[in-house]
Structures are given as C-alpha cells and as structure tokens.
Amino acid sequence: MKAAVLVFPGINRERDMARTLRLVSGREPAMVWHADTALPPGTDLVVVPGGFSYGDYLRCGAIAARAPIMDAVRAFADKGGLVLGVCNGFQILCESGLLPGVLMRNQNLRFICRDVYLRVERSDTPFTRGYNAGQVIRVPVAHGEGNYIADGETIARLEGEGRVLFRYASPDGLLDPDWNHNGAINGIAGILGERGNVLGMMPHPENHVEASMGRTDGRGLFAGLVDHLAQAA
Amino acid sequence: MLRNEPAITPELIADHGLKPDEYERILKLIGRAPSFTELGIFSAMWNEHCSYKSSKVHLRGLPTKAPWVIQGPGENAGVIDIGDGLAVVFKMESHNHPSYIEPYQGAATGVGGILRDVFTMGARPIACLNALSFGDPRHPKTRHLVSGVVAGIGGYGNSFGVPTVGGQVRFHARYDGNCLVNAMAVGIAQADKIFYSAASGVGMPIVYLGSKTGRDGIHGATMASAEFGADAEEKRPTVQVGDPFSEKLLLEACLEIMAKDCVIAIQDMGAAGLTSSAVEMGAKGNLGVDLDLDAVPCREEGMSAYEMMLSESQERMLMVLKPEKEAEAEAIFRKWGLDFAVVGRTTPSMRFVVRHGGNVMADLPIKELGDEAPVYRRPFVDTVKPHAIRAADVTAPVALADALETLIATPDLCSKRWVWEQYDHVILGNTVQRPGGDAAVVRIEEGPKALALTADVTPRYCEADPFEGGKQAVAEAWRNITAVGGRPLAITDNLNFGNPERPEIMGQLVGCIRGIAAACEALAFPVVSGNVSLYNETNGRAILPTPTIGGVGVLPDFTKSATLAFKAAGEVVLLVGETVGWLGQSLYLRDICGREEGAPPPVDLAVERRNGDFVRKLIDDGIVTAVHDLSDGGLAVALAEMAMAGRVGARLDGAPDGVPPHAFWFGEDQARYLVTAKTADVEAILAGARSAGVPVMRLGTTAGDALAIAGERALPVAALITRFEAWLPAYMAGRTDNGSL
Amino acid sequence: MKARVTVTLKSGILDPQGKAIEGALKSLGVAGVASVRQGKVFDIEIEGADRARAEAVLKEAAEKLLANTVIENYRVDVLP
Amino acid sequence: MKARVTVTLKSGILDPQGKAIEGALKSLGVAGVASVRQGKVFDIEIEGADRARAEAVLKEAAEKLLANTVIENYRVDVLP
Ligand SMILES: Nc1ncnc2c1ncn2[C@@H]1O[C@H](COP(=O)(O)OP(=O)(O)O)[C@@H](O)[C@H]1O
Ligand SMILES: [Mg+2]
C-alpha cells in the first residue's frame, strides 16, 4: 500500500491516521501538503483525515475542498484510484463534489464524542472486504456536524445502488433513532461515490485498531484495503 | 513624550485598580508622574493576576522540589522528568470572570491560554482537563453558564486537536454569579529541549508571532482581578474571542522552529499581553527591552500605545530568535500563514522602553516593574474549627437503599457524561482510560509508558477547615492516580478564593496553602506550577474556597492500568482502609439529611501513603481485577459506580458492629479504596495487608444484576444507571430545575 | 465599497439548526414563531469604486466559496 | 408574516471565520476583497398579522437566543 494522507491547515487527526496505516500496512504513508499540486508517484490510496481544516469556518470542509491538491485528488479518483475520507475528510469530499450530499449540524446541535455501532451493509467493496455484510462494529465518533442529508433523489440513488456502506445501528444491528446520535437520514454513516472507489464516513475506524488499546473493530477496513491493493498489484 | 494622552487623575488611577499607596510607590520608583501608557503598564504588572501580591509570601511555603522536577513554579508551566529522555509539561489556570461574562468565549480562551503555556515550553499537548464549579442548578443563570462553558471548552480543544480526558463538575449556591473554570493542559517534550522565557544576549531581535493585535480584553487582566458587582455587564466590551484554528497553526509553527533550533527565548502573550511577555523576557534575562509599536501587526485602525500594550488578543507569542536564523524562522511562520514581525531588541540598559509614532510612550526600569511589585502580608484570621459530628447523633431519615438511589442522581454525584461527550477524548489515539474512571490514563506515543491525570478538590471541606481541605484535595488527586496504578509525581494548583483584603478569606487561602504543603511534603508530590484567582465574590459574598489540584502520575505499562468497573460475577469485594463512619461534611449529611455541617474527614497522610502504596502494589502484581478510590458519597456510592461501570451487581454483608450502618455506607473517611479479586488471590492480598499494616475488610462478592446490601432492598444495576445518567441531560434540557430528579 | 452577500438554504433542504431553534424558542416561552431557517451574511469591503466590478467580484466569491450552490442560494447587495 | 433577524459581530470583536474566508478568497484568486465579516440571518415565519406584536416577539427571540448580545448586534426586519 502506498498511501498519501492529505494535510490541510487545521487538520488534527492526520497523526492518528498515519499511525494506523503504518500499523496495518507496515508502511509509512506520505504526508501531502494542501498547497502541493501532485500526489507522490505510485500513490494507490488517498486518505483525507479528520480534524478541523480551516477551523471548520464557513462550512466544514468548504475551504479545504478548494485547495490546490484537491484537483490532483479528483484526477486520481477519476482514474479509479481509492479515496478514503474520514470525518472532516468526508465533509471535504462532499464539498469538493467527489461525494453527494452535505453534513449538517448534529440533531442536538452538540459536538458528540462516543463509541457508536455501525452496521456494515456490504462486504464486496475494497473498503469493507475485511468485514461480513450485516456485521456490527464499534468505533468512535467525534463531530458536531455529521448529520448526513441529500435530496430525495440522491438518497434514492445511494440506496438503490447500494452505496450506503455503514449505518448507525443498535449493538444488535437494528436501525433505531436512539442509536443514531446525529440524526443522519436513514442512519447513513458512510457512503460510496458513483464508481465505488471513493468512501466518505463520519466515524473514526483509525482509532480502534490496537488490541492493547481495547478494541480492533476498525482494523478490518484498513486490512481489507491492504489486501485489495496487494491483489490489484 | 506623553503626547496626546489623558492626564493622570485619582479617578484614572483608581480605574486602573491601583491603590493610592501603590501609586505613591510608582512615583518613588520612577521619580516622576507616569504617562498614561506607563500607568496602564503598571496596572497590568502590579495587579493581583500578574503580581501575586497577596499570595506570594504564602506560596513560598509550597514544596516544589523532587529529583524528577526539571522546572518548578515560575515559568510558563512546570516540567517533570519521566525517564527515557521525556518530560511532562503541565499547568492549570483559571478563566473565571471572563467565563461568567461570556461563557463560550471565556472558557474557550481559557483553554487556549493554558495550551499556549504548555507548547511555549516546547511540548506537544497530549491532554486537557477541566474543573468546573457552577451555582445552584436552580439559579436562573446556571444552565446558560454550564452549556456555554462546556461548549467553549470543547469548541477550542476539539478544534485544536487535543483530547480532553478528565476533570470535575460541581454545583453550589456559593458559585451563583461567580462560576469557576479551571483548565489544565499536559504536554510531552524532550527533557533536553525545554524552552524558557529568559532572554539572553544584547541586541537580539524580539519577534512577534501569531495573530494580529486588536482591542480585545483591554483591561482584561485588571478585570480578572476585580471583584464582581452588579455592573459586571458593563465590563462586556473587553471580551476576547478564541481562534483555535490559529492556535493550532501557532503550535505547529512553534514546534517546527524549535526543532530547527532558532529560538533563544519564548513567551506567550497571556494576560496583559505584550506588556508582561516583554517585561518577563527582559527582566528574567537581566536585559532591557526596546519595543517599537509601529511594527506590531494590528487588526484595527489607529490603536494607541496604551491599547497595544494592554491588548489581550489571543494566539500571540513573543520570541527572541537567533539572529542568523531569523529568515528561516520567518519562512516557517509565513508557510503557516501567521504574522511575523520584529518589534524590538534586547538592550543592556535594564529599561523597558516603548516607542510609538516617533514618541517614547514609556521608559521604565524593567526589573522593578516585576520585582518591585507590591507584596502584601495581608492580615488573616484562621477559620474557626467546626465541631466533629458523631455518627450516633445523626439519625438516618430514609432507608440506605433509598439514600443511595437519591445520591447518585444528585447534581454533584450524577454522571457527567453530558459534559465529557462534548469533548473529543479519543483524538491522538492514546486515551487508554476515558472520562468516567478515577484518573484518566493517556499513553505516550505507542507506549508502554503512560500518564495518569486527574483534577480534584472538595470545596465544602475547605470551607469547613481550610487546612484539612487543602490536604484532602492533594490526597484525593494522589489517590485517583494511585487507583489506576499510577505513581503520583507532581501537581499544579489553581487557588480560587474570594477577596484577600478580608481577613477571613485570607485565612482560608493561608490555611489551604498550608494543608496543600503538608500533603505535598508527606506524599512526595511537589507543586511545579499553579495559578491564583482571587476576588471571586459577588456583592460581597465569596465562593467556597476552591484550591483545585491537577495531578500527574506515570505508569510504566499502560496495559496494566486498573479500572473501576466490576469485571465479572463471583469475585470478592475488598475494602482497603479504615472506616469509622465520618459523616461531617459528607454528601449524605448535606443531600439526605439537609445539614451542611461539621468538621470534614481528617486526612492522615502517613496512612494515605501506606494504603495507596499497598493498592498500587496490588495493581502492579496484577492480582486485583478492579480498583476504585472512595471520595464523595463514600462506600455505597463507590460500589454503585463500580457496579454501573461493569453492569455487574454485588451481594454485600451488613455494616460491622460499632459503626452505624448509614455512617458505614456513606461516611467519607479518607485513604480508602475498593478492590475486587478472584477468590484464589484473596488470601495473598489479606496476608500482604497484614504485613503492611493496612486494614482490609471483606465486604462481599460481585453477583447478579443488582446491588444488594444485606437486609436492604436490592437495587437493580440497570435502574441505577438510568438514574445516574438521567439528571444532567434532563436538567440541561430544562426538564428538571430542582437539585434532584 | 461596502457590500453584503446573503446565503440561505434552498427551500426543501431541511435545516436541523432552524428546527432546533424553533424548539428552543418554544421552551424559552417565546410564542408565535411558526418556523425558523438559518442563513449567513458576509459583510464585505471591496476595493475601488466600480460598482459593476464589485458585483462581479462578489458573484465570483459566492459561486466559488461563500455558497454551496447544491443546497444554498445567495444574493449580492452592493451598499450605496 | 415573514421576518428576518440579522445578527452581526460588534465592531472590534475578532472574527476568525471572516479572516479565514479572506485568506481563502485570495488563494482562490478572487481579487479586490479588502475584508470579510461573517454574520447570521434567521428567516422567521411569525403567526398572526400584528406587525407590532411580531416585532416584539422577534426582539425577544433575538435577546433570548438568536444573538449573543455580549459580542453581537442584531437587527429585526418584518417584511411587508
Ligand atoms: N469537566 C469534566 N471534563 C471531563 N471529565 C469530567 C469532567 N467532570 C467529571 N469528569 C469525569 O467524570 C468522572 C467522575 O468525576 P469525579 O466524581 O470528580 O471523580 P472522582 O470522584 O474520582 O474525582 C471522572 O472520570 C472525571 O474525569
Ligand atoms: Mg476517584
């Protein structure tokens, strides 16, 4: 895996992400500065990490989405390259048009940091091959604006094309408003882009990958990517 | 000089919080009347906040030394050595008055300020804590303050990117109109790469870094030391707005130029911004400072010298750079989009000279500005020791089970989840123990070394007996660190009190400091940094004396840290420490019997240390499965917390003869812990206890899904959890107003 | 020149913040508010005195950054 | 009745958002923007047709919730 982690001013979970990529793939990712215009040669995975790019000012991800490096990311995705956006990264991908929809303020208008349960909807994607369809994983969220919405047509398409990869659910995998902390429509926690090579998700799988730290539920996502890329190569 | 500045009048002097005799002192010092700008500079340097004039003589009594202390009080933050070439840099600071005036921004800038103190010294912040005291939940302003303060702390820390992992939240009518916001930051640095504020070398460039200067918080420093009156609202225009985004950039830029070895001295601009940072750098380095305000990056038109010198705009730093590295440093700051300007030079003159628009606006002796600040030995009277309450004289108004059910849903004892879920407590991926336990445990990089962090104080104890209360605050911090398996190393103390010009308040301050000193001494737990906040009064009514203690300990291996949750049914529950059933100042007495009285539980520091060392050894040996220290609410509440955390019940024997049951279950005797162990290990533990002379008592076993005390109604754990979690969210949603559900 | 760009949510896009504010107002006892929708204003200083140019600049700013035209409308007013 | 409450920062109060937006516009090549300050608008439906009452309600809403009068000014417009 030759991962590139984008670094925008105000991003603050890039260290978490870089460490996880190293722990799971055995290889240090390249850290790519927002003002750069090209990705490192041979990059096979672009990760847009979490944080508060530009302080979340104006709209979460809005300013970062217009940074020079994003043109390179768009071109990379158009060629089928794998792109993962987590939390602020998800917001940036939506603002940049790589993913549809918007992430609004959480229903209760408060920032929420807690472990949530996600139902993995499909296992036949590069991002979820490390899991079984229907499996429930427990990972942390930490965001104030993770309430996913899009117009009815877009939602219908996402659902119809099976592009919803993760949903907030109860520990036994049921959709339940009490277990949907931010009020996202249909409990949507993570979605695929049209071509299935771009994933945006609000929760932080990168924070649950070490057994010594308690839980490894997030590891499957990264291990799956490593396997996929190894096969592709 | 002194062109187009207002004339100095007695009113103007009073407005600057300077007493007539203090003004006389200024006249003697400089041999002439000060200019308006100079008056502002003196008021900033000589106010309580910067000069510690009321507390200085007493703070000298605090133990500040230990082999592992690298830097004690006096720098931006304290520094301790934790081995492997690593140092922990930490400090706690209050932002009480600003938070009362504008809760969100006041709390946010409080967090920003303390983070700057830590990374100014070359450390990367790895954790924040906060200790909050609010008024009676029924007070009309309380809910608004809680929501604003919590959102502000989260808003700043979350965006900056540091996990907020612990703290405490308490409510008491004595904080009506004067809430307390004490924020603590902890960072990690290379032990041989700590940066200090003393300038060195003549003619060195003094560089201004960070955000631009506006009219923010002018008079903030003076305000922060001014007693509150009905006119608090009038002080509003001085509100400072925090910009965590700029602070994050400032952090990365500072650490980058420090790594490139560009820095001779660095000082963040906190209270009294440019004035105190520049004076400090010069005075500490035995150098003069010559500032050219025309070079200061300003956000607003036509700012006067006075305004620039007193502005408390946030996210700013002052540095003395190695001249040959100036260009390299500037490039780094530009890359991060931050302002960079050479605003002065160090001089041999030992004078603090401020130029603006071709005029000399101030020319003062730099040493005296700091060192000659008035120091007061204010008169004080010791608090009268309250009578000890005999448990036998307290009748139990309700059944034990009912009392427990009530207590865990009171504002002070209920779950603070509503608060800490608004704080990102997992970012950086090193939070081993999240909020909800005794001390938070934060791994250093990928471990195995970790820090145990806590913030504690029991103000009602301090009010009843400042000396014992001071001891207890330190002891509880030490205990919380011990309870997770940490070795307590050092503390930061944040002393929040009323008006020191009143002898009884001064008596509380002196008493608490003596108690803190005694405990630090006995527990080898020195003070390495701290902060004093006085004049916390509203219309002549003081807050409860609140000396918040921030404790730091180290664990060699984070995977061995103990947690408070019951792990499984069938384990033996043991009580470590002696229980006489001390009800004086207990929450049982206050919230169940409606009596806020008596002497607080005494702290026997020798016993504290003996029992703690014993428990820590049990954790090291890995023969205990859960550990929890006893504090507010006593034994029954601690058991409930362990049961709720593990969703496992327990069956417990009745109180031993000689101790009234309600006193046994709810007394707040100190130096106690609860542990659970596998049956097979119990004998070894008891034997160890005997040889260590530590009283250990078998209470019962974990079992089923209810907490059942012999002869009492069994309490289903699920129902306890519901009550424990319900109060704060219900209160914040406006569904309950009274003290309880 | 002074100008103001006002950005509002397109109708049909739901506004959780507005909804929450409606709720909060009710619980604060503020009666008679049927609905609330929240938007943004940007008060902008434009260099020069050419009105037409100013409007062009503001439109560009709105399109490129200030508004997310997928869900938001914007309106530009150059103040006299 | 339709109304709009506009909330803006008091002058002199730092506006980090505005500052960041200024920077972003520059790097996006939008020229001629001297300064940006961000505020909020609330588009509100008021029940009934009594203008005076509507204004009173809006003022109350602004004071109690919509504006943080410590650092913000607000202005109420009931639309014709
Ligand atoms: N303001 C806060 N921020 C973060 N965590 C908090 C806060 N207040 C309380 N907590 C957490 O809630 C738990 C219970 O707090 P407390 O009752 O003070 O514990 P203790 O009695 O062990 O000192 C602790 O883990 C503490 O860190
Ligand atoms: Mg404890």
Side-chain angles (χ1 to χ4, degrees):
Chain A
M1 174 193 275
K2 284 197 73 185
V5 176
L6 306 190
V7 181
F8 301 92
I11 279 291
N12 59 27
R13 255 187 173 83
E14 77 279 15
R15 281 184 182 72
D16 308 38
M17 184 58 77
R19 177 201 279 168
T20 288
L21 291 166
R22 170 171 53 78
L23 289 175
V24 180
S25 76
R27 183 166 182 163
E28 282 290 347
M31 306 305 278
V32 178
W33 187 239
H34 66 106
D36 294 355
T37 50
L39 295 163
T43 297
D44 56 14
L45 170 70
V46 170
V47 183
V48 192
F52 285 68
S53 59
Y54 297 92
D56 272 1
Y57 299 146
L58 183 58
R59 294 181 309 275
C60 299
I63 299 177
R66 289 147 179 84
I69 192 64
M70 289 308 291
D71 295 328
V73 173
R74 240 179 248 99
F76 176 80
D78 290 345
K79 288 204 246 61
L82 294 177
V83 179
L84 168 64
V86 170
C87 199
N88 192 212
F90 186 11
Q91 297 163 333
I92 291 168
L93 293 178
C94 288
E95 275 284 343
S96 69
L98 277 158
L99 291 172
V102 206
L103 293 139
M104 293 272 203
R105 286 288 293 281
N106 295 347
Q107 213 164 25
N108 65 11
L109 301 193
R110 290 195 301 271
F111 184 98
I112 301 175
C113 178
R114 71 166 68 135
D115 281 2
V116 298
Y117 295 90
L118 301 182
R119 189 174 76 197
V120 182
E121 300 293 80
R122 288 173 56 182
S123 62
D124 58 344
T125 78
F127 301 98
T128 52
R129 53 185 278 161
Y131 301 109
N132 301 320
Q135 183 177 345
V136 176
I137 61 172
R138 176 175 157 181
V139 288
V141 292
H143 58 251
E145 311 199 9
N147 180 354
Y148 183 81
I149 70 149
D151 58 78
E153 191 181 324
T154 308
I155 296 296
R157 274 196 65 194
L158 286 173
E159 296 289 0
E161 298 169 5
R163 285 161 55 192
V164 177
L165 277 202
F166 300 103
R167 288 183 213 273
Y168 304 113
S170 69
D172 38 22
L174 304 174
L175 298 194
D176 174 345
D178 292 349
W179 293 94
N180 177 354
H181 66 284
N182 62 25
I185 187 164
N186 299 359
I188 291 174
I191 57 165
L192 280 180
E194 282 185 4
R195 299 183 44 191
N197 60 320
V198 178
L199 168 65
M201 67 190 296
M202 286 314 295
H204 290 283
E206 76 274 22
N207 283 136
H208 272 185
V209 295
E210 291 176 87
S212 64
M213 292 295 287
R215 299 197 72 95
T216 57
D217 304 43
R219 204 177 175 96
L221 189 150
F222 301 95
L225 284 168
V226 171
D227 296 345
H228 172 85
L229 292 168
Q231 277 178 14
Chain B
M1 69 196 242
L2 342 181
R3 246 199 268 139
N4 54 44
E5 283 195 329
I8 308 299
T9 64
E11 298 67 39
L12 197 64
I13 293 164
D15 286 349
H16 282 73
L18 289 162
K19 303 264 172 353
D21 57 312
E22 292 176 335
Y23 185 68
E24 284 310 310
R25 194 188 186 90
I26 294 174
L27 295 179
K28 273 232 300 307
L29 208 58
I30 64 176
R32 59 173 167 81
S35 70
F36 179 58
T37 302
E38 289 173 332
L39 186 71
I41 291 173
F42 272 108
S43 76
M45 292 302 298
W46 284 14
N47 72 31
E48 196 63 58
H49 187 89
C50 293
S51 71
Y52 292 86
K53 57 191 170 192
S54 303
S55 52
K56 218 177 203 150
V57 292
H58 304 286
L59 293 174
R60 291 194 189 113
L62 293 170
T64 60
K65 297 203 166 22
W68 53 88
V69 173
I70 294 175
Q71 174 64 54
E75 278 291 331
N76 286 301
V79 186
I80 57 175
D81 190 330
I82 55 165
D84 306 332
L86 295 173
V88 180
V89 178
F90 67 102
K91 183 169 191 277
M92 189 187 290
E93 196 156 82
S94 64
H95 227 212
N96 304 336
H97 294 82
S99 300
Y100 181 77
I101 291 168
E102 209 304 281
Y104 185 100
Q105 294 299 344
T109 50
V111 172
I114 197 63
L115 282 165
R116 268 193 309 284
D117 277 329
V118 163
F119 70 78
T120 297
M121 300 199 70
R124 179 174 285 278
I126 63 162
C128 279
L129 293 87
N130 60 105
L132 311 177
S133 306
F134 297 104
D136 186 321
R138 281 158 294 205
H139 187 278
K141 231 172 161 355
T142 302
R143 188 179 282 108
H144 161 76
L145 289 169
V146 173
S147 76
V149 164
V150 170
I153 290 171
Y156 205 101
N158 299 345
S159 175
F160 178 83
V162 63
T164 300
V165 296
Q168 72 172 23
V169 182
R170 297 289 188 265
F171 297 84
H172 194 287
R174 292 275 293 280
Y175 301 101
D176 292 354
N178 200 132
C179 61
L180 300 185
V181 174
N182 294 177
M184 172 175 171
V186 181
I188 292 287
Q190 296 299 323
D192 58 355
K193 287 206 172 49
I194 306 294
F195 290 81
Y196 298 96
S197 54
S200 69
V202 169
M204 294 295 168
I206 296 173
V207 180
Y208 171 115
L209 307 160
S211 299
K212 290 182 163 46
T213 297
R215 293 189 170 91
D216 319 83
I218 289 176
H219 267 148
T222 8
M223 175 184 86
S225 308
E227 184 177 334
F228 258 27
D231 69 338
E233 319 300 309
E234 297 317 303
K235 299 195 166 85
R236 279 173 167 183
T238 68
V239 168
Q240 320 145 18
V241 169
D243 180 3
F245 172 57
S246 294
E247 178 117 324
K248 165 74 168 163
L249 304 182
L250 192 57
L251 164 75
E252 299 301 340
C254 286
L255 294 185
E256 198 172 327
I257 69 166
M258 285 166 167
K260 294 239 163 62
D261 189 30
C262 305
V263 181
I264 293 174
I266 174 166
Q267 173 66 39
D268 70 299
M269 295 192 219
L274 193 50
T275 294
S276 56
S277 52
V279 169
E280 192 143 328
M281 284 185 136
K284 278 194 179 152
N286 295 311
L287 290 164
V289 165
D290 204 327
L291 284 184
D292 171 15
L293 297 186
D294 300 331
V296 171
C298 287
R299 199 173 78 226
E300 295 173 58
E301 295 297 304
M303 287 188 66
S304 69
Y306 176 91
E307 291 171 324
M308 283 189 236
M309 293 311 292
L310 293 196
S311 164
E312 293 190 348
S313 294
Q314 302 288 299
E315 294 88 29
R316 302 180 301 162
M317 292 269 187
L318 212 57
M319 280 190 195
V320 178
L321 288 176
K322 298 185 176 166
E324 70 275 15
K325 300 269 193 171
E326 201 176 310
E328 188 178 357
E330 173 158 14
I332 290 169
F333 268 78
R334 298 276 176 235
K335 167 183 135 200
W336 287 102
L338 296 163
D339 272 291
F340 178 107
V342 176
V343 295
R345 302 249 165 233
T346 56
T347 69
S349 71
M350 296 295 278
R351 294 195 70 80
F352 183 54
V353 179
V354 177
R355 304 171 197 279
H356 188 222
N359 299 319
V360 172
M361 304 306 289
D363 184 349
L364 300 167
I366 199 161
K367 274 282 187 192
E368 288 71 2
L369 260 180
D371 305 355
E372 294 292 307
V375 171
Y376 295 126
R377 300 182 164 280
R378 297 195 186 276
F380 65 90
V381 294
D382 291 325
T383 304
V384 188
K385 290 226 179 255
H387 64 290
I389 288 178
R390 291 177 48 247
D393 303 341
V394 178
T395 45
V398 298
L400 297 180
D402 301 344
L404 178 54
E405 254 181 356
T406 304
L407 280 174
I408 58 155
T410 52
D412 280 356
L413 286 176
C414 71
S415 168
K416 301 305 184 299
R417 178 182 305 275
W418 185 92
V419 172
W420 50 256
E421 278 195 343
Q422 292 185 60
Y423 305 152
D424 188 338
H425 47 268
V426 298
I427 184 168
L428 303 185
N430 291 331
T431 308
V432 179
Q433 282 197 44
R434 302 179 182 188
D438 286 326
V441 176
V442 177
R443 182 176 68 162
I444 295 164
E445 279 317 313
E446 275 152 63
K449 201 165 268 188
L451 299 181
L453 308 168
T454 183
D456 297 281
V457 62
T458 313
R460 63 183 188 281
Y461 293 176
C462 299
E463 166 90 354
D465 184 335
F467 180 72
E468 285 301 321
K471 276 163 65 183
Q472 194 275 342
V474 176
E476 186 176 349
W478 191 86
R479 207 179 300 150
N480 275 318
I481 291 167
T482 297
V484 298
R487 184 163 74 86
L489 289 179
I491 65 170
T492 179
D493 66 316
N494 196 155
L495 308 176
N496 307 270
F497 291 82
N499 179 349
E501 294 159 45
R502 289 166 48 200
E504 62 278 19
I505 299 293
M506 207 49 214
Q508 294 174 338
L509 177 64
V510 172
C512 283
I513 290 176
R514 287 178 181 163
I516 291 168
C520 292
E521 204 56 66
L523 300 171
F525 203 27
V527 177
V528 296
S529 60
N531 168 251
V532 179
S533 169
L534 302 177
Y535 298 93
N536 290 288
E537 304 207 349
T538 315
N539 304 327
R541 189 146 151 285
I543 58 163
L544 294 177
T546 311
T548 311
I549 301 300
V552 174
V554 69
L555 291 91
D557 178 357
F558 73 91
T559 62
K560 284 186 163 185
S561 82
T563 62
L564 59 72
F566 283 154
K567 301 299 181 299
E571 299 190 332
V572 179
V573 182
L574 300 169
L575 172 62
V576 177
E578 194 190 7
T579 304
V580 303
W582 192 282
L583 287 177
Q585 293 300 335
S586 67
L587 287 181
Y588 178 88
L589 192 66
R590 188 188 79 185
D591 293 345
I592 301 298
C593 308
R595 298 167 52 185
E596 200 165 348
E597 304 171 22
V603 182
D604 180 326
L605 295 164
V607 170
E608 189 74 56
R609 187 162 186 172
R610 184 194 67 198
N611 295 1
D613 291 347
F614 173 71
V615 168
R616 198 178 308 105
K617 176 92 168 46
L618 295 179
I619 298 170
D620 279 347
D621 298 346
I623 55 174
V624 282
T625 50
V627 180
H628 188 17
D629 78 305
L630 274 64
S631 56
D632 285 336
L635 180 53
V637 167
L639 283 163
E641 288 169 345
M642 296 175 85
M644 291 187 289
R647 295 174 183 271
V648 173
R651 222 176 296 104
L652 305 151
D653 310 333
D657 305 339
V659 189
H662 62 307
F664 178 72
W665 294 107
F666 296 106
E668 296 182 2
D669 310 62
Q670 299 294 297
R672 296 186 302 163
Y673 301 78
L674 277 164
V675 303
T676 58
K678 301 214 162 41
T679 320
D681 296 320
V682 172
E683 256 329 302
I685 293 172
L686 295 175
R690 274 190 299 276
S691 54
V694 175
V696 174
M697 171 183 179
R698 203 182 176 120
L699 283 181
T701 46
T702 57
D705 52 17
L707 198 63
I709 295 173
E712 290 288 326
R713 175 168 59 93
L715 299 168
V717 175
L720 286 175
I721 292 173
T722 307
R723 290 184 58 80
F724 180 62
E725 295 293 345
W727 188 81
L728 195 46
Y731 172 68
M732 292 312 295
R735 290 198 303 275
T736 170
D737 253 331
N738 62 12
S740 181
L741 273 178
Chain C
M1 245 175 323
K2 292 196 182 310
R4 171 169 283 182
V5 175
T6 310
V7 175
T8 52
L9 274 178
K10 290 182 173 168
S11 58
I13 302 284
L14 65 123
D15 175 11
Q17 201 151 347
K19 278 265 159 296
I21 291 166
E22 285 169 27
L25 286 172
K26 279 190 189 58
S27 58
L28 284 171
V30 180
V33 173
S35 82
V36 179
R37 287 178 69 79
Q38 182 168 345
K40 307 188 184 94
V41 290
F42 302 92
D43 289 323
I44 300 182
E45 273 287 339
I46 297 282
E47 288 154 3
D50 176 341
R51 223 186 148 72
R53 221 194 115 281
E55 269 166 8
V57 169
L58 292 164
K59 193 162 180 320
E60 188 190 3
E63 291 282 343
K64 277 193 176 167
L65 183 69
L66 300 181
N68 174 351
T69 51
V70 179
I71 53 163
E72 295 171 325
N73 299 319
Y74 67 90
R75 167 196 163 98
V76 167
D77 301 283
V78 178
L79 311 180
Chain D
M1 243 176 324
K2 292 197 182 309
R4 170 168 283 182
V5 176
T6 310
V7 177
T8 52
L9 273 177
K10 289 181 176 171
S11 68
I13 297 280
L14 171 68
D15 178 12
Q17 301 214 68
K19 208 175 70 186
I21 293 165
E22 273 171 43
L25 287 173
K26 279 193 189 60
S27 47
L28 283 171
V30 180
V33 173
S35 83
V36 179
R37 283 176 76 78
Q38 180 168 348
K40 306 189 193 87
V41 288
F42 301 91
D43 289 323
I44 301 182
E45 272 288 338
I46 298 281
E47 289 154 2
D50 176 340
R51 231 189 139 73
R53 220 193 117 282
E55 268 165 11
V57 170
L58 292 165
K59 193 166 181 321
E60 189 189 0
E63 291 281 345
K64 280 191 175 168
L65 186 69
L66 303 181
N68 174 355
T69 52
V70 179
I71 55 174
E72 294 171 325
N73 297 320
Y74 67 90
R75 155 192 176 105
V76 168
D77 301 284
V78 178
L79 312 180

